[in-house]
Amino acid sequence: VSDDFGEWFEVYNPDPGTTYDLDGCQIRDTANAHTIGAHLLVPPHAFRTLAIFATGGGFVPDYTYSGVKFDNNAADSVSIFCGSTLIDRFGYSAAMAAVGGHAFSVDPAHYSAVDNDVPANVCNATTIYNQAVSGSNVISDYGTPGAPNPSCN
């Protein structure tokens, strides 16, 4: 899926005993925002996927957003705000954005809101979750939507 139409990210709940509902929270990039308009429950130690597509992206996301577009050629970020509280922000550089088809993968030892801000704790995903044939080429999408990431080491 082209980067423009296959955009997605996921959230992880590290809390061992609390389920969070992201209904009413905002997804933000550096210029735009989308308010989550449905109950999106994130149980303890669970992942939830949020995507710009509802179907056709290689998996079915837990929530589909609109109006937010992450830059594929320059530095950008994704943030989750609930009210005025920043829950987490993941920023990336232009150099990190330059690798098409590969999701950013946070090393599973560094899922915290502090650790995922350290570039050394992030790598390009290597697990194929979707493939398509375009002419004589096989195009692959890499990441682990809704599941733990492999180690970056």
Side-chain angles (χ1 to χ4, degrees):
V1 178
S2 75
D3 284 343
D4 285 341
F5 300 105
E7 211 166 76
W8 63 278
F9 69 97
E10 64 189 353
V11 294
Y12 173 73
N13 177 0
D15 192 290
T18 303
T19 295
Y20 295 98
D21 186 354
L22 299 182
D23 186 18
C25 296
Q26 281 194 334
I27 302 163
R28 298 182 189 173
D29 63 11
T30 55
N32 302 293
H34 171 90
T35 300
I36 297 172
H39 291 287
L40 180 59
L41 300 178
V42 189
H45 301 290
F47 296 87
R48 291 296 178 257
T49 56
L50 299 91
I52 200 165
F53 57 85
T55 61
F59 67 94
V60 177
D62 296 303
Y63 183 81
T64 300
Y65 60 85
S66 61
V68 173
K69 183 76 179 86
F70 306 115
D71 200 313
N72 294 322
N73 300 306
D76 204 346
S77 66
V78 57
S79 301
I80 301 285
F81 279 86
C82 294
S84 61
T85 302
L86 173 63
I87 303 303
D88 197 14
R89 177 186 179 277
F90 177 80
Y92 58 90
S93 68
M96 292 172 71
V99 181
H102 292 261
F104 298 123
S105 182
V106 176
D107 189 283
H110 300 284
Y111 282 156
S112 76
V114 173
D115 285 357
N116 73 12
D117 293 338
V118 178
N121 297 335
V122 179
C123 57
N124 289 318
T126 58
T127 303
I128 295 172
Y129 71 87
N130 184 49
Q131 288 188 316
V133 176
S134 176
S136 61
N137 297 322
V138 175
I139 300 168
S140 300
D141 293 318
Y142 297 83
T144 57
N149 299 332
S151 174
C152 285
N153 299 325

